[in-house]
Amino acid sequence: MLLSNQCSWRGGVLKALLFLLCGLTTVTASADSDEHCPGFQAGEKRLLWGDLHVHTSYSLDAYAFGVRHTGAEAFSFGRGQPLLERDGKSQIVIDRPLDFMAVTDHAESFAVIYLCTDPATSNTPYCQAIREQSHPATAWNIFRNYLLPLITPSQPTQPAPLCGPGQENCEQAAIWQWQRAQREANAANDPCDFTAFVAQEWSATPGAAHIHRNLIFRTESVPDKAFDYLTYNSPEKLWRALQTHCTPEADCDVLAIPHNSNLAEGLGFDVEHADNQSLKLRAHYERLLEVHQSKGSSECLPISWTDDSGDCGFERVLSRETQQALAKQRQEAEQAWQSLRSGYARSLLERGLVAYDKSGDARINPLQLGLIGSTDTHVAAPGFVAEDTWRGDAFGWGGAEERFQRITYNPGGLVAVWAEENTRDAIFKSLWDREAYATSGPRIGLRVFADDENKARCSSADASAIGGVPMGGVLPDNESGSMWLTVIAQRDKTPLQRIEVIKGSLINGQVEEQVIDIANSKKGRKNWCVSWQDLNYQADVPAFWYVRVLEKPTPRWSKRDCEKADLCKKYPEADIAIQERAWSSPIWNHPGHN
């Protein structure tokens, strides 16, 4: 869907901004109407909203907590159909349908789910225990004793006990479950109205560190077998498997999107010791990072763990291992903190600049990552992100006090793309090009362009005068010594309060980081267009810029809950406001890349 309920600006400059932000064009059939959607115009892009991280009952952790919804039901919910809650009594419905989505169930539990969820299929003690204990009161037994051995095995290729010698045919069962996921996605895909991607999650969790990746396939042509951590026990093995089994000749393309790098303990992104072949594979497949989801924000951590400044404090969730390390002596705490922060988005982008500089003539930035958001819902409710209606996830669904048991969790975010039309090809291309951005939930409209002169003048009434390198792009080599950013933003339901530029640059081998406030309004704005010149721009310095747009503060879901239940005194940590936000994908300067 377009922001049709918001795009109501009129006249001159505002009309030009509306054209760019909402992507509206005259809706007439194109010359290639048989191949494209009505209204398609090459080069004209519209804003589409989606969720690329969704779990259903086909994920063992969701099933363990009593979730029984299928992928088909998740797709229907994303399109605006009501979903019966886990209690089987009440319903939820998304406030605005999505334009695209993917169901990304854990591939590691495909065989177990296929065999154990139907008593007629398998009556082994293993499966009986899963079925009998799969409800909230005993769900953690399933999580600890059945799921964790699949994603955190003592031996990397250790199968589930169900799948040992002489046991069930788990390889075939996993294939059948993967085929079921494909059928549901392909049935839900409705070109021009709703895009459903075939997808899965590779859920590596060594030592409890989350180095998970969501695999999003461009077409219905996908490998016969899903990719799981038991078979491919490192990111590099995963990329090599994708290179072998998902080929252009088979019309197969795929993106591997890391998520929860805030819980990765610094693992999964070792570019400092990798050879060029590995760096190229990472750069090819891992073009995006999920910067926000229900398990917290992965944008940044401050240099010091004692720094409580607000820049990196939004929806912070620390792993149990890190919290334990921080409770120990300071030296160990500092080591744990630096390891953890090295995997956050801002640090990864900075590590990418260093890697690019060291790659020499190869010109490889293995961490040239665009930023997206999604929910990681485990109740098959994609896009259900409103703070005032969220009911918790599978791990804390119920009343306020049940949800407060995981008070650091949040409803999750959304991914927005600028695409020519609502089809798999067009959206995948925009994701591939990183012309995408993340929000913490609200549908904040955002466009960012860069140029070597102030062509994107916000005073211009001519929409064609606003343009340049879009978010996700790389600046062309130039000798002008000038760089301008133009930011066009539109509020969702809450006024916008601040626009910031986050810049990272590599100067004399040292990374320098800046957070620059380029627009501020105490009252808040409905829409904004800001042109900003980087007066410290140097054409020969590797750098990146991304934009962060913040709303005025609003009550967090926990505050709404504690007020309704009169529990704010008992849970003071719940009684807080937050500033919802959007993060653009970066624009890079890679000297000598052209």
Side-chain angles (χ1 to χ4, degrees):
M1 292 177 62
L2 299 178
L3 295 177
S4 56
N5 60 323
Q6 303 173 32
C7 297
S8 56
W9 301 340
R10 294 291 183 270
V13 176
L14 294 184
K15 185 177 181 180
L17 299 184
L18 172 65
F19 176 91
L20 281 158
L21 187 56
C22 298
L24 296 180
T25 58
T26 303
V27 181
T28 56
S30 69
D32 299 321
S33 59
D34 290 340
E35 299 178 7
H36 292 289
C37 300
F40 170 85
Q41 298 289 332
E44 297 292 348
K45 297 183 178 180
R46 58 186 61 189
L47 182 57
L48 302 173
W49 292 95
D51 188 348
L52 295 177
H53 193 175
V54 176
H55 292 276
T56 72
S57 62
Y58 302 155
S59 289
L60 185 55
D61 47 358
Y63 184 87
F65 282 86
V67 174
R68 296 295 180 265
H69 301 304
T70 66
E73 290 173 290
F75 286 119
S76 293
F77 181 84
R79 299 197 72 171
Q81 296 301 309
L83 187 72
L84 195 64
E85 289 193 45
R86 190 177 56 183
D87 60 12
K89 299 177 182 178
S90 52
Q91 290 184 327
I92 57 173
V93 65
I94 195 172
D95 61 340
R96 287 165 286 183
L98 298 173
D99 298 303
F100 63 95
M101 59 168 284
V103 170
T104 54
D105 284 309
H106 300 293
E108 293 74 18
S109 62
F110 274 2
V112 171
I113 286 293
Y114 192 90
L115 291 171
C116 291
T117 57
D118 183 354
T121 304
S122 181
N123 263 320
T124 66
Y126 181 93
C127 287
Q128 287 176 354
I130 288 178
R131 290 194 295 269
E132 291 170 1
Q133 297 181 49
S134 290
H135 54 80
T138 53
W140 287 110
N141 293 335
I142 301 297
F143 193 89
R144 285 188 295 266
N145 300 326
Y146 295 87
L147 179 63
L148 287 184
L150 296 177
I151 61 177
T152 315
S154 57
Q155 300 175 15
T157 57
Q158 176 182 327
L162 176 71
C163 306
Q167 302 294 316
E168 303 281 359
N169 185 353
C170 287
E171 183 175 359
Q172 185 58 57
I175 292 173
W176 285 333
Q177 183 61 38
W178 178 224
Q179 291 174 345
R180 176 186 288 171
Q182 294 173 54
R183 287 195 300 271
E184 292 178 339
N186 292 329
N189 191 51
D190 187 8
C192 303
D193 290 325
F194 181 78
T195 292
F197 288 103
V198 177
Q200 59 144 112
E201 180 172 328
W202 176 82
S203 310
T205 316
H210 287 59
I211 59 172
H212 302 186
R213 268 72 176 160
N214 284 325
L215 304 183
I216 311 297
F217 293 90
R218 179 177 63 87
T219 71
E220 63 181 20
S221 298
V222 302
D224 292 336
K225 298 180 181 180
F227 299 88
D228 63 76
Y229 176 51
L230 298 175
T231 308
Y232 310 102
N233 63 348
S234 72
E236 184 161 353
K237 289 181 180 178
L238 173 64
W239 307 326
R240 293 188 184 280
L242 293 175
Q243 185 182 41
T244 300
H245 299 290
C246 183
T247 64
E249 293 75 17
D251 194 29
C252 183
D253 289 320
V254 62
L255 285 164
I257 305 176
H259 63 265
N260 276 132
S261 63
N262 60 322
L263 302 179
E265 303 299 323
L267 301 179
F269 299 97
D270 185 8
V271 299
E272 288 77 12
H273 304 96
D275 59 26
N276 278 356
Q277 185 177 14
S278 177
L279 296 179
K280 288 179 180 178
L281 284 172
R282 182 188 292 273
H284 179 79
Y285 290 111
E286 298 197 353
R287 306 174 71 84
L288 299 165
L289 176 77
E290 187 179 287
V291 73
H292 184 83
Q293 60 125 265
S294 63
K295 296 186 183 73
S297 171
S298 300
E299 182 193 1
C300 62
L301 284 180
I303 293 175
S304 172
W305 65 278
T306 60
D307 181 1
D308 293 326
S309 64
D311 174 40
C312 299
F314 179 71
E315 295 291 8
R316 180 184 294 176
V317 177
L318 300 179
S319 71
R320 181 176 63 255
E321 289 71 20
T322 297
Q323 293 180 55
Q324 291 171 346
L326 293 175
K328 296 180 180 179
Q329 59 177 320
R330 183 178 179 85
Q331 183 178 2
E332 292 184 22
E334 289 289 354
Q335 292 173 350
W337 189 259
Q338 295 310 318
S339 176
L340 182 65
R341 73 182 300 271
S342 71
Y344 277 64
R346 195 181 296 176
S347 296
L348 290 173
L349 295 173
E350 293 166 357
R351 291 169 66 185
L353 295 181
V354 175
Y356 178 82
D357 190 55
K358 288 183 177 180
S359 71
D361 292 339
R363 303 297 180 190
I364 304 171
N365 184 342
L367 295 172
Q368 189 175 334
L369 298 165
L371 304 180
I372 67 166
S374 284
T375 61
D376 192 18
T377 175
H378 278 66
V379 292
F384 195 58
V385 293
E387 300 280 336
D388 58 349
T389 57
W390 193 55
R391 299 291 304 277
D393 212 329
F395 316 115
W397 194 274
E401 296 205 73
E402 285 93 352
R403 290 192 284 276
F404 290 168
Q405 292 176 15
R406 289 189 170 267
I407 200 168
T408 57
Y409 278 33
N410 72 89
L414 295 175
V415 52
V417 300
W418 288 99
E420 290 183 331
E421 56 188 343
N422 191 346
T423 62
R424 282 174 169 172
D425 274 344
I427 294 173
F428 190 91
K429 182 180 186 304
S430 295
L431 293 168
W432 187 269
D433 292 341
R434 310 178 186 90
E435 198 165 355
Y437 65 94
T439 84
S440 60
R443 301 192 183 192
I444 299 169
L446 179 62
R447 297 204 85 167
V448 180
F449 298 99
D451 213 324
D452 60 355
E453 57 182 297
N454 192 12
K455 288 182 179 178
R457 295 182 297 273
C458 291
S459 59
S460 172
D462 180 7
S464 65
I466 303 179
V469 177
M471 66 175 79
V474 179
L475 297 177
D477 288 342
N478 73 81
E479 304 297 330
S480 70
S482 177
M483 200 284 288
W484 289 80
L485 283 182
T486 294
V487 181
I488 306 167
Q490 186 183 14
R491 79 170 205 176
D492 185 10
K493 298 178 181 179
T494 301
L496 307 177
Q497 188 175 77
R498 190 160 74 250
I499 299 177
E500 300 166 330
V501 172
I502 289 83
K503 178 184 178 182
S505 51
L506 186 66
I507 300 176
N508 298 323
Q510 299 296 316
V511 173
E512 294 187 6
E513 180 182 303
Q514 294 175 279
V515 179
I516 306 159
D517 193 337
I518 66 169
N520 208 312
S521 170
K522 290 184 179 180
K523 293 182 178 180
R525 297 281 297 263
K526 292 182 179 180
N527 48 67
W528 234 327
C529 182
V530 180
S531 286
W532 170 78
Q533 183 180 16
D534 185 348
L535 298 176
N536 296 313
Y537 170 72
Q538 299 177 61
D540 60 348
V541 170
F544 65 81
W545 301 260
Y546 69 88
V547 171
R548 188 168 63 186
V549 179
L550 280 68
E551 292 184 346
K552 293 188 69 176
T554 51
R556 191 174 187 264
W557 70 267
S558 57
K559 180 178 178 67
R560 297 175 190 271
D561 271 13
C562 77
E563 289 178 344
K564 290 178 183 178
D566 195 22
L567 291 169
C568 292
K569 290 184 179 180
K570 183 176 179 180
Y571 297 95
E573 68 274 22
D575 191 11
I576 61 173
I578 55 171
Q579 284 191 282
E580 303 272 25
R581 58 199 63 198
W583 300 264
S584 78
S585 286
I587 292 172
W588 286 269
N589 186 44
H590 287 157
H593 82 289
N594 287 345

